[in-house]
Amino acid sequence: MRFATTALLLFIPTSVSAAEFDGAQLGIAWSVPFIGILLSIALCPLLVPSFWHHHFGKVSAAWALAFLLPFAAQFGLSETVHQAAHTLLLEYIPFIIVLYGLYTVAGGICVRGALHGTPGVNTILLTIGTVLASWTGTTGAAMLMIRPVIRANDNRKHKVHVIVFFIFLVANAGGALTPLGDPPLFLGFLKGVDFFWTTTHLLTPTIVLCAVLLVEFYALDFYYYHHRGEEKPPRMDPTPESRIRIEGAINLLLLGAIVGAVLLSGFWRPNTKFTLLGSEMELQNVVRDVLIVAIALLSLKITPKSTRQGNEFNWGPIVEVAKLFVGIFLTIIPVIAMLRAGTEGVLGPVVRLVTDANGQPINAMYFWLSGGLSAFLDNAPTYLVFFNMAGGDPHLLMGTLATTLAALSAGSVYMGAMTYIGNAPNFMVKAIAEHSKIRMPSFLGYLAWSSVLLLPAFVLVTLLF
């Protein structure tokens, strides 16, 4: 089901005439499919869990068709194919390939042995994952660290908060320092932002944010551990403390190879392009995707099955992300177009919020609006919208408007932690935790956690920076 919509669109003839697609023409009703898929993700697991578990792919496809069919009726099949192909070929497929590569390779690294999940040990594990995230990507760091964290806490009654903070730190905030860390920053890199620009300009805010979250985590974990009877757990530890060792270490080199493939696509510019279904494909990006798939397949071939079994590796999390995000990427097309239309579009009032009376950017609003939308939209295209709203000139944005670029970069990365759909690793971590019998909060339950714990930290970052 996940590629059914893709296949349908790729084989529709493109000769049918179409009206020109302009986001300024769209009314707010075009956002209904996108809102619908978000509400489905939020409410169906809570209200109809069995139905959702078996049919979430069909629900995602249904909402995608709820956008595609009316769009084809109004703008024509040719424009529909063009918009869908552009999104799928240039955004969704590369997005899924990178996630697939990192998930597959990181899943071949098994950290054997276990530590006892005390507040101190848990804080150290989260800190390690946070530091790794900017260099192996939030997906790679999350897949590498989530199972050791789960094993360390498998004898504890209260552990949901550990996974929630893991999502905050390892799957999101930790990825703010390089283009490899999070997709929005990678898109900025491809647009011309220097590789180490975010390292220098977001280092201090990221350290402050992560330090605040780690202090919050330690205090909460200390309370549960020492005041809820977990210091001496009443049940036997399924994985008692033992020496830590790494199996499948060859996959560490393969993770480095994926990083190299991503870097290659940014630095190597052969100026070779070809057009597929109206979408311009660049050679370096195609080579990157092919290399990542090849690296993942090599990992599957050379990693012993016992190593992946030790990780309880399965394809469930990546399949869930693939099925849900194909619907999200398609239904978000009109929403992004309405934002891109600027003050001429139906979302013009939102655009006006980021500019003062003199036409100068309001940096705090760039932080909160890029972040707020990234929490519910995909943060990569949202970053691009605000990047373009700020002028789109990387040299100007790295110079005179450096604070504006820092604000929208930080907002897009940090606030992806606000919901399960803000960043793809969030959903994958949730799925792995639930596979390990941890009862994770619902969509709205998680939003309550993030609102209480993250929003005060974001206010502090706003006031300081």
Side-chain angles (χ1 to χ4, degrees):
M1 284 300 299
R2 62 178 163 173
F3 295 115
T5 305
T6 308
L8 172 66
L9 291 167
L10 292 181
F11 289 100
I12 292 176
T14 59
S15 59
V16 182
S17 62
E20 183 180 355
F21 175 51
D22 180 3
Q25 302 174 17
L26 302 181
I28 197 66
W30 285 99
S31 65
V32 170
F34 178 71
I35 295 172
I37 195 170
L38 293 189
L39 289 176
S40 298
I41 293 170
L43 300 178
C44 287
L46 186 65
L47 301 178
V48 285
S50 179
F51 170 82
W52 179 253
H53 177 72
H54 291 96
H55 301 291
F56 61 83
K58 298 182 181 70
V59 173
S60 177
W63 283 117
L65 290 173
F67 157 66
L68 292 169
L69 296 179
F71 189 87
Q74 179 164 338
F75 295 98
L77 287 177
S78 179
E79 184 65 19
T80 305
V81 170
H82 172 69
Q83 292 296 328
H86 179 88
T87 296
L88 294 170
L89 294 174
L90 302 186
E91 296 173 5
Y92 172 76
I93 291 176
F95 167 83
I96 286 298
I97 285 175
V98 171
L99 289 182
Y100 163 75
L102 292 171
Y103 180 80
T104 303
V105 174
I109 304 170
C110 181
V111 181
R112 296 285 189 182
L115 300 171
H116 183 55
T118 64
V121 167
N122 283 335
T123 303
I124 291 172
L125 290 174
L126 292 188
T127 302
I128 292 172
T130 302
V131 172
L132 287 175
S134 281
W135 305 100
T136 64
T138 50
T139 298
M143 295 306 99
L144 185 62
M145 295 298 297
I146 184 59
R147 291 179 180 88
V149 168
I150 289 174
R151 281 200 300 271
N153 292 275
D154 56 9
N155 69 319
R156 291 187 55 175
K157 179 180 178 182
H158 300 283
K159 50 194 171 188
V160 168
H161 67 287
V162 179
I163 309 303
V164 169
F165 274 93
F166 186 96
I167 293 174
F168 292 170
L169 288 158
V170 182
N172 289 277
L177 299 183
T178 75
L180 301 175
D182 220 32
L185 303 183
F186 179 64
L187 292 179
F189 172 62
L190 295 181
K191 290 290 184 180
V193 177
D194 292 343
F195 185 87
F196 288 107
W197 190 92
T198 52
T199 309
T200 55
H201 287 76
L202 293 185
L203 179 62
T204 304
T206 300
I207 289 175
V208 169
L209 175 63
C210 292
V212 169
L213 293 178
L214 286 168
V215 169
E216 286 182 354
F217 170 75
Y218 183 84
L220 186 59
D221 203 39
F222 185 91
Y223 168 75
Y224 280 128
Y225 191 75
H226 290 287
H227 300 286
R228 288 296 188 92
E230 293 193 346
E231 190 170 2
K232 295 181 179 179
R235 54 187 177 180
M236 182 177 296
D237 190 343
T239 52
E241 189 166 343
S242 58
R243 182 176 63 87
I244 300 297
R245 63 191 189 280
I246 296 177
E247 291 184 7
I250 186 65
N251 286 287
L252 293 172
L253 295 178
L254 296 182
L255 275 178
I258 290 178
V259 171
V262 172
L263 282 173
L264 176 69
S265 68
F267 288 114
W268 177 49
R269 300 297 177 89
N271 293 320
T272 301
K273 304 175 183 179
F274 62 93
T275 301
L276 178 61
L277 293 177
S279 298
E280 196 173 74
M281 311 284 289
E282 295 185 287
L283 178 61
Q284 67 268 25
N285 295 331
V286 175
V287 170
R288 177 198 63 215
D289 294 345
V290 170
L291 285 175
I292 291 174
V293 171
I295 291 166
L297 294 175
L298 178 61
S299 173
L300 289 172
K301 182 175 180 61
I302 67 177
T303 304
K305 290 184 179 179
S306 60
T307 301
R308 294 191 183 275
Q309 289 170 352
N311 275 336
E312 298 180 7
F313 181 87
N314 67 87
W315 296 110
I318 192 69
V319 168
E320 183 173 0
V321 168
K323 288 183 177 181
L324 292 177
F325 272 79
V326 71
I328 290 172
F329 268 75
L330 288 171
T331 58
I332 202 178
I333 290 173
V335 179
I336 293 297
M338 286 186 276
L339 285 170
R340 195 171 282 130
T343 57
E344 302 300 318
V346 70
L347 297 179
V350 175
V351 177
R352 295 185 188 96
L353 290 174
V354 301
T355 308
D356 64 20
N358 298 318
Q360 296 301 307
I362 304 173
N363 296 324
M365 294 305 296
Y366 266 98
F367 175 70
W368 283 96
L369 282 178
S370 64
L373 290 173
S374 291
F376 294 94
L377 312 181
D378 179 66
N379 59 2
T382 301
Y383 169 92
L384 284 182
V385 168
F386 282 89
F387 187 90
N388 291 323
M389 283 170 56
D393 182 346
H395 300 291
L396 180 63
L397 286 169
M398 288 188 291
T400 306
L401 299 180
T403 309
T404 303
L405 180 58
L408 70 93
S409 299
S412 299
V413 175
Y414 297 163
M415 295 194 200
M418 287 295 297
T419 71
Y420 284 134
I421 62 171
N423 202 14
N426 303 3
F427 238 120
M428 298 169 77
V429 169
K430 173 180 179 288
I432 291 171
E434 289 176 335
H435 183 75
S436 299
K437 311 302 181 186
I438 298 175
R439 291 177 59 87
M440 292 296 292
S442 66
F443 184 94
L444 296 177
Y446 177 85
L447 182 59
W449 275 88
S450 63
S451 298
V452 171
L453 296 167
L454 287 177
L455 291 181
F458 294 153
V459 170
L460 177 64
V461 169
T462 305
L463 294 175
L464 291 177
F465 304 105

